[in-house]
Amino acid sequence: MNTANAFAFLLLGVTLFLLPELWPQVFAPNGLTGDSTQALWLKCMGPVQVAVGLHALFLNEIRPLWQLAGAWQTVMEREPELDLVAVTS
């Protein structure tokens, strides 16, 4: 999954989660407790979609930056500081 797909999953998950709150008239109560099964399904699948999108973003974008920062720190610890002195002849 590429980064654009991960952002789409993230946006879809947020939309799924907020949809029953934005349009409650679409999700009629049909259970014994007066809850909507469709709204409950969207409230459960929204965070799942967000988790999939965040995981893909972590794998594609954040983890390589984290590894690069760790490698850079290792290089900076190994290399001695260079003194910039003008050489005159």
Side-chain angles (χ1 to χ4, degrees):
M1 177 183 304
N2 59 22
T3 304
N5 291 343
F7 278 119
F9 268 80
L10 191 65
L11 182 63
L12 178 67
V14 170
T15 304
L16 288 177
F17 186 76
L18 293 177
L19 201 59
E21 294 177 12
L22 295 176
W23 287 319
Q25 66 272 16
V26 175
F27 305 100
N30 57 2
L32 293 174
T33 61
D35 294 331
S36 172
T37 308
Q38 294 172 341
L40 180 62
W41 177 254
L42 292 177
K43 288 283 190 177
C44 291
M45 289 309 295
V48 170
Q49 294 287 329
V50 168
V52 169
L54 286 176
H55 179 65
L57 280 176
F58 174 76
L59 291 179
N60 291 343
E61 301 297 326
I62 298 170
R63 188 177 61 171
L65 288 175
W66 190 271
Q67 290 172 345
L68 182 64
W72 182 254
Q73 183 180 6
T74 306
V75 167
M76 293 302 290
E77 290 172 355
R78 266 191 279 149
E79 294 295 324
E81 293 287 330
L82 298 176
D83 292 329
L84 299 176
V85 180
V87 178
T88 58
S89 51

